[in-house]
């Protein structure tokens, strides 16, 4: 693979290419080009276009599944895709960074567990498109990050939505760093409804997570992580209940 990155006066250019030689699926060349153009001091317009290639992994090819359910498929073909993105970014030293982007990805031979008994198969043609919003602000030890995605993921052969992909999702995180290296952070995550196997619609859910670290000696720190603090009941996939409120504590030595 090779990459090129250069700033001209108002133009930022990135270009790259990669060649993969797979002993089973042969050789593939993929590449990407991305451009950013400054519209004054605070605004930048960005765009990119690229291609990708992914061979099926061992689980997707050879997993025995569970009594035949969710089994692999040794006859899978590799995925290939093309993606385009166009965005606008605004940055202010005192007010943070905001970016809005629209994207579209077209995939040939998408690998998914959608076959008989949910066996791995290739979906001939799939399309994913959407809009992403991002905001970040860093000030005096505080870091705020927020993002939201509105998307449509479709099996172009049938017109049906791709499974387990919500139309909306988003998160907000607030982190505080202290002079001695300790930290405290809170995160909220939202996922909208998703289609699953058998025409099942999975409900939307909200998660509230906590992370903290206390550096009580130069080389020692105590870490705490709390997940699903509101004890939300939800299924990330049909038939698989997620864990309720969970706590994790760790002692780390970092010389």
């Amino acid at each position: 693979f090779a990459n090129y990155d250069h700033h001209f006066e108002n133009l930022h250019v990135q270009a790259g290419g990669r060649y993969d030689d797979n002993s089973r699926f042969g050789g593939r060349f993929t590449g990407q080009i991305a451009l950013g153009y400054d519209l004054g001091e605070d605004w930048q317009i960005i765009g990119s276009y690229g291609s990708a290639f992914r061979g099926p992994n061992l689980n997707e090819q050879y997993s025995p599944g569970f009594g035949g359910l969710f089994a692999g498929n040794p006859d899978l073909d590799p995925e290939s895709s093309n993606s385009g993105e166009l965005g606008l970014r605004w940055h202010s030293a005192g007010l943070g960074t905001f970016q809005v982007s629209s994207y579209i990805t077209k995939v040939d031979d998408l690998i998914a567990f959608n076959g008989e008994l949910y066996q791995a198969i290739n979906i001939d043609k799939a399309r994913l498109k959407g809009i992403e919003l991002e905001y970040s602000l860093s000030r005096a030890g505080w870091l705020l990050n927020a993002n939201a995605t509105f998307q449509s993921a479709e099996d172009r052969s049938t017109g049906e939505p791709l499974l387990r992909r919500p139309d909306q999702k988003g998160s907000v995180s607030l982190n505080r760093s202290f002079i001695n290296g300790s930290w405290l952070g809170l995160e909220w995550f939202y996922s909208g409804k998703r289609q699953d196997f058998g025409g099942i619609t999975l409900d939307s859910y909200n998660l509230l997570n906590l992370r903290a670290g206390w550096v009580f000696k130069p080389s020692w720190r105590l870490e705490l992580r709390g997940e699903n603090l509101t004890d939300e009941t939800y299924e990330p996939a049909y038939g698989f209940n997620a864990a309720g409120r969970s706590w994790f504590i760790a002692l780390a030595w970092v010389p």
Side-chain angles (χ1 to χ4, degrees):
F1 64 91
N3 290 294
Y4 172 78
D5 190 316
H6 187 72
H7 269 99
F8 298 94
E9 286 189 10
N10 293 328
L11 182 66
H12 183 194
V13 178
Q14 292 180 336
R18 170 177 173 144
Y19 182 78
D20 287 270
D21 184 13
N22 187 297
S23 62
R24 179 169 182 182
F25 301 110
R28 296 289 183 95
F29 176 82
T30 54
Q32 180 179 6
I33 183 168
L35 304 174
Y37 186 79
D38 296 329
L39 304 172
E41 295 184 359
D42 299 333
W43 294 89
Q44 184 184 53
I45 187 170
I46 54 179
S48 67
Y49 182 82
S51 58
F53 160 80
R54 184 180 80 85
N57 60 39
L58 290 176
N59 181 65
E60 292 165 338
Q61 293 180 92
Y62 303 116
S63 170
F66 307 93
L69 295 171
F70 301 100
N73 180 358
D75 297 324
L76 288 173
D77 293 323
E79 293 179 358
S80 59
S81 64
N82 293 281
S83 300
E85 182 177 1
L86 183 64
L88 185 66
R89 179 184 297 151
W90 173 79
H91 174 75
S92 170
L95 299 177
T97 301
F98 174 77
Q99 180 172 320
V100 56
S101 305
S102 62
Y103 67 88
I104 183 169
T105 299
K106 295 182 178 180
V107 188
D108 291 331
D109 296 318
L110 176 71
I111 298 171
F113 287 88
N114 283 27
E116 186 178 354
L117 298 179
Y118 315 126
Q119 181 190 33
I121 62 170
N122 287 111
I123 296 176
D124 289 340
K125 293 187 180 295
R127 183 183 67 190
L128 301 90
K129 61 180 181 179
I131 296 176
E132 294 182 340
L133 306 172
E134 300 176 69
Y135 175 75
S136 64
L137 174 64
S138 178
R139 178 177 291 182
W142 292 91
L143 177 61
L144 172 67
N145 284 300
N147 66 77
T149 299
F150 305 89
Q151 64 180 358
S152 170
E154 181 183 357
D155 180 342
R156 298 289 286 167
S157 303
T158 64
E160 296 294 323
L162 296 178
L163 302 182
R164 298 178 180 173
R165 299 175 188 262
D167 289 342
Q168 307 94 23
K169 60 181 179 179
S171 68
V172 178
S173 65
L174 181 63
N175 295 280
R176 177 73 165 99
S177 298
F178 300 94
I179 296 177
N180 69 341
S182 300
W183 68 90
L184 179 65
L186 196 64
E187 177 194 39
W188 167 77
F189 173 80
Y190 168 78
S191 173
K193 296 180 179 180
R194 294 94 58 221
Q195 295 294 316
D196 211 323
F197 296 107
I200 299 295
T201 298
L202 300 175
D203 290 334
S204 61
Y205 62 91
N206 294 269
L207 295 179
L208 187 64
N209 304 317
L210 170 74
R211 57 185 298 274
W214 175 38
V215 179
F216 59 91
K217 283 190 175 183
S219 298
W220 290 90
R221 67 191 188 201
L222 190 65
E223 300 177 0
L224 175 68
R225 190 170 83 252
E227 298 183 355
N228 194 6
L229 300 184
T230 59
D231 203 24
E232 179 96 354
T233 300
Y234 70 99
E235 292 177 304
Y238 178 63
F240 294 86
N241 291 326
R245 184 184 299 111
S246 305
W247 294 96
F248 304 85
I249 189 168
L251 180 66
W253 177 56
V254 186

